[in-house]
Amino acid sequence: MDQKFVIGNWKMNTIAAEARLLSQAIADGMGIEDSVTVVVCPPFPYLSLVGEILKGHRVALGAQNLYPEKKGPFTGEVSPTMLLDLGCQYVILGHSDRRHKLGESDTFINQKVRVALAAGLNAILCVGETLEQRKADQTKKVLDQQLFQGLDGLSPATLTHLSIAYEPVWAIGSSGHHATPQQAQEAHAVIRHRFGQMFGERSAQTLVIHYGGSVNPENADAFLRRPGVDGILIGGDSLNAEQFLAIVKAGIAQAQSLVEAA
Ligand code: PEP
């Protein structure tokens, strides 16, 4: 996979003025390089505003969640149809914030993945173990279950619009723990293996797997150069245009070295 991905998850941050400034700075800092797919995922209320600013730039718009119905009596929820209408191409699903703080189950996340893909959105399914699970040597078991249940019943025809983000919960945000590139590579291999068992070796080889968890301009290159790490999902540092663009730059450098090596 020569293409690299850099995805910014703004989570529940920014007000309108900040979202405007941040997206404008990212748009202005993007070159014409197309070896990196760059996605920003602002909060729902600013999708429209950010989408307008990104128009004509090489940055795609993504959402942080959706509700798995087209429309109806689901007060406070946002449908895939609405996301498409706002220009979203990507949606993050099953983020650990939603799994662990809002109690989302693998079954519910599976409904979202299916509906997102059926609607034509690119779904980024987040998976990852907690610190307790890692310490108890359950990482593989947890990843297997999240993939097995989260991807249940997917039509093989939609798989090209699916990517997986490995985000060890213990390495996200200001937890104080950092995963090593080696740990990321190992988990990505587990994910690819399980995916191959579910959907066949060819699909597993082309599956895009991102790493997320305290990635910054200093360590981005070390993750991106690992075999099987196709992209980076960034929380904290996606709120700073300079830092975010520095990670995009690391992605471009890696993508170029892959082309040169081929
Ligand atoms: C995230 O929450 O998806 C994430 C990767 O956060 P951070 O980069 O801040 O660890």
Side-chain angles (χ1 to χ4, degrees):
M1 165 81 47
D2 298 340
Q3 185 78 16
K4 293 284 180 187
F5 292 75
V6 175
I7 302 157
N9 173 15
W10 295 5
K11 308 190 199 182
M12 198 176 72
N13 291 298
T14 68
I15 57 171
E18 293 165 338
R20 186 175 290 116
L21 282 177
L22 179 55
S23 50
Q24 191 66 64
I26 291 170
D28 291 346
M30 289 292 299
I32 50 159
E33 179 58 53
D34 65 356
S35 57
V36 174
T37 298
V38 180
V39 185
V40 296
C41 304
F44 284 142
Y46 308 130
L47 281 172
S48 176
L49 179 164
V50 171
E52 280 304 315
I53 291 171
L54 297 181
K55 262 190 196 145
H57 296 274
R58 293 198 41 78
V59 186
L61 189 65
Q64 300 173 21
N65 185 32
L66 57 67
Y67 191 79
E69 292 286 345
K70 282 191 184 139
K71 61 177 187 173
F74 302 100
T75 304
E77 296 295 338
V78 175
S79 74
T81 319
M82 293 169 185
L83 297 185
L84 289 166
D85 191 38
L86 289 168
C88 285
Q89 293 175 262
Y90 289 81
V91 61
I92 297 171
L93 298 171
H95 190 278
S96 64
D97 287 342
R98 301 203 64 87
R99 288 179 187 269
H100 298 292
K101 296 175 188 163
L102 296 159
E104 287 194 2
S105 68
D106 283 310
T107 310
F108 189 40
I109 294 165
N110 175 247
Q111 287 171 23
K112 296 185 185 202
V113 174
R114 288 196 205 200
V115 167
L117 292 173
L121 285 159
N122 293 292
I124 303 163
L125 171 66
C126 300
V127 296
E129 79 287 359
T130 64
L131 189 57
E132 293 66 37
Q133 289 165 335
R134 176 161 279 261
K135 282 182 174 162
D137 208 14
Q138 289 176 345
T139 300
K140 186 174 175 303
K141 187 171 148 216
V142 171
L143 294 178
D144 276 354
Q145 180 187 316
Q146 291 177 343
L147 291 169
F148 190 64
Q149 294 185 8
L151 302 178
D152 184 38
L154 285 197
S155 137
T158 61
L159 293 181
T160 49
H161 291 286
L162 172 80
S163 62
I164 306 291
Y166 171 59
E167 298 209 303
V169 184
W170 48 277
I172 292 180
S174 48
S175 64
H177 297 277
H178 293 262
T180 63
Q182 178 64 29
Q183 286 171 318
Q185 183 180 340
E186 283 164 12
H188 283 216
V190 168
I191 292 167
R192 212 174 286 284
H193 179 70
R194 165 51 93 180
F195 197 84
Q197 288 177 326
M198 293 178 76
F199 300 105
E201 201 43 44
R202 193 178 294 179
S203 297
Q205 272 165 20
T206 53
L207 175 68
V208 170
I209 310 179
H210 317 286
Y211 172 72
S214 303
V215 177
N216 56 46
E218 286 71 48
N219 63 18
D221 176 71
F223 284 103
L224 282 164
R225 65 172 57 240
R226 287 286 168 158
V229 179
D230 305 305
I232 293 291
L233 179 51
I234 309 152
D237 272 11
S238 70
L239 294 168
N240 177 314
E242 211 178 308
Q243 306 278 92
F244 185 69
L245 288 165
I247 298 172
V248 171
K249 219 169 155 190
I252 293 170
Q254 265 315 306
Q256 277 168 354
S257 66
L258 284 175
V259 171
E260 279 159 23

